[in-house]
Amino acid sequence: ANSVLLPQCDASLLRRQILLLQKLRDEFLNETKSETVHELRVASRRFREMLRYVGKELPPKWLPQLTELCKEISKRLDRIRELETNGKLLNDFYVGGKAHAIAVELLLSGQNRRMIKAMRKAQQCLSNKRFERYKEFVSNLKGSLNLSPQHSDFLKAPTKEFLAFRWNIPLNDRRLHDLRTRTKKLRYAIEIQEKISRSKQGRLLAHIRKLQDLLGKIRDLIVFQEAVNRMRRGWEIRDLTLVPSSLAQLSENIFEEKNSLYGRVYPLFARIVPSLNFALHPPEPKAVRSSFSLHQDLSKTQNRKHSAS
């Protein structure tokens, strides 16, 4: 009575993704590495898109529970990743002579405290008690060869959303974050479709990954600048000038670095559009001509040559 019956391909993909989540979660709790944090974040997002893919086939009680836990995992790990990225960018700006030593010291001291807090919350989110829901779901998951997937139009929504991004409005941080969200959804949807249909979209995915990586760099700089500006507002004291001025200069340098990447966004987007249209709407194969029609054409050609002679 508790079994969750899905088409064999959907059940296998869901099971593999949950097992990957459990493996990465164990690695995270035993030995936290930045690579593990990133891989666990991506795995939770892919699993959430897969839940969206098979959502209508799942019993009502499972979809909201599994989706909510995925959102919580992503939220906690996103915070850790943001702090790690801020530390790396801070070091890069300092090495490049774009960050004053005082600003670096202040930002690092505050970041270490926030990292400890973020790690504690992430470990609580990934506790055994909460992950029991995944284990229970896997134990009830069954695949059937007699059922066929019912989501042939799964790519339509993320594709339309991606192509509907408006370029007649000036770009800003908020709109680029929106484009990044659309790009990630499109990429995960194509990857799922690849595995289900066993088709290859290597070139299209390569273009999408390049755009996603660029938008990710811009997003990292946006978050970094927000952290600098928050600290800058806390040091706006009348008799102090060195700290606020060093933080203001760092914020300005981040702004220039971020804006230098804006011009690279549209060319990458434009490169995806024809590949995306071709992948979704391949040209119809031409009808094979019979040997009789070919013989007729050959005879007509020969007659025209004789007439010309």
Side-chain angles (χ1 to χ4, degrees), residues 12 26 51 65 78 106 110 144 170 192 224 247 279 284:
S12 299
D26 293 340
L51 289 174
Q65 293 182 21
D78 283 350
L106 287 172
S144 171
I192 291 171
F224 183 36
L247 291 171
E284 295 183 1

Side-chain angles (χ1 to χ4, degrees), residues 26-40:
D26 293 340
E27 291 179 3
F28 173 79
L29 293 178
N30 293 329
E31 186 179 359
T32 304
K33 297 180 181 178
S34 58
E35 295 83 3
T36 306
V37 172
H38 175 66
E39 290 172 2
L40 185 53

Side-chain angles (χ1 to χ4, degrees), residues 74-266:
S74 295
K75 177 182 176 182
R76 298 304 177 190
L77 295 179
D78 283 350
R79 182 57 179 157
I80 294 174
R81 186 67 174 175
E82 283 179 4
L83 292 169
E84 289 179 344
T85 304
N86 284 353
K88 183 178 181 302
L89 288 172
L90 186 60
N91 180 69
D92 292 343
F93 273 75
Y94 178 67
V95 172
K98 297 180 180 181
H100 196 280
I102 293 178
V104 172
E105 195 65 33
L106 287 172
L107 288 165
L108 284 178
S109 62
Q111 180 169 298
N112 291 335
R113 293 193 302 271
R114 287 188 288 271
M115 178 64 81
I116 294 172
K117 185 178 179 180
M119 287 294 299
R120 184 169 62 250
K121 288 185 176 181
Q123 290 167 353
Q124 292 172 354
C125 172
L126 296 167
S127 64
N128 287 325
K129 183 178 180 181
R130 302 198 68 178
F131 251 72
E132 284 297 326
R133 301 301 295 160
Y134 283 157
K135 294 180 181 179
E136 182 183 352
F137 177 74
V138 169
S139 65
N140 290 317
L141 184 59
K142 310 295 178 185
S144 171
L145 294 173
N146 296 324
L147 295 177
S148 57
Q150 300 297 319
H151 7 262
S152 58
D153 59 345
F154 175 68
L155 272 176
K156 285 185 179 179
T159 300
K160 288 182 178 179
E161 189 178 356
F162 179 81
L163 295 175
F165 186 80
R166 299 176 62 185
W167 291 97
N168 59 342
I169 301 175
L171 291 178
N172 55 35
D173 294 347
R174 182 184 57 80
R175 298 195 68 238
L176 284 179
H177 180 58
D178 175 42
L179 178 59
R180 179 170 174 255
T181 301
R182 299 183 190 209
T183 305
K184 285 193 295 186
K185 288 182 178 180
L186 176 64
R187 175 186 171 183
Y188 294 150
I190 292 175
E191 288 175 345
I192 291 171
Q193 192 70 28
E194 254 195 342
K195 293 174 182 176
I196 296 297
S197 63
R198 296 182 180 180
S199 61
K200 296 295 183 182
Q201 299 291 347
R203 179 175 295 180
L204 174 58
L205 282 173
H207 292 329
I208 293 174
R209 276 194 290 268
K210 287 180 181 178
L211 176 60
Q212 185 180 343
D213 290 344
L214 176 62
L215 294 171
K217 291 178 182 178
I218 295 174
R219 178 61 183 170
D220 291 341
L221 290 168
I222 292 171
V223 174
F224 183 36
Q225 187 178 21
E226 289 173 352
V228 172
N229 288 337
R230 279 195 302 269
M231 177 162 284
R232 177 186 171 188
R233 287 191 291 269
W235 281 88
E236 289 179 350
I237 303 172
R238 180 180 301 176
D239 296 332
L240 296 178
T241 57
L242 182 57
V243 172
S245 62
S246 62
L247 291 171
Q249 184 60 53
L250 175 56
S251 179
E252 181 64 27
N253 291 337
I254 297 170
F255 178 81
E256 292 177 0
E257 180 80 15
K258 178 187 64 179
N259 278 16
S260 68
L261 301 176
Y262 268 38
R264 294 166 51 188
V265 175
Y266 180 75

Side-chain angles (χ1 to χ4, degrees), residues 39-75:
E39 290 172 2
L40 185 53
R41 285 170 65 243
V42 173
S44 66
R45 288 174 180 169
R46 284 199 172 108
F47 181 59
R48 200 162 89 194
E49 289 303 312
M50 187 65 192
L51 289 174
R52 196 196 309 272
Y53 176 74
V54 300
K56 295 180 180 179
E57 299 177 350
L58 292 177
K61 77 167 189 174
W62 280 114
L63 184 61
Q65 293 182 21
L66 297 175
T67 302
E68 190 61 32
L69 182 54
C70 271
K71 288 182 179 178
E72 185 70 15
I73 292 172
S74 295
K75 177 182 176 182

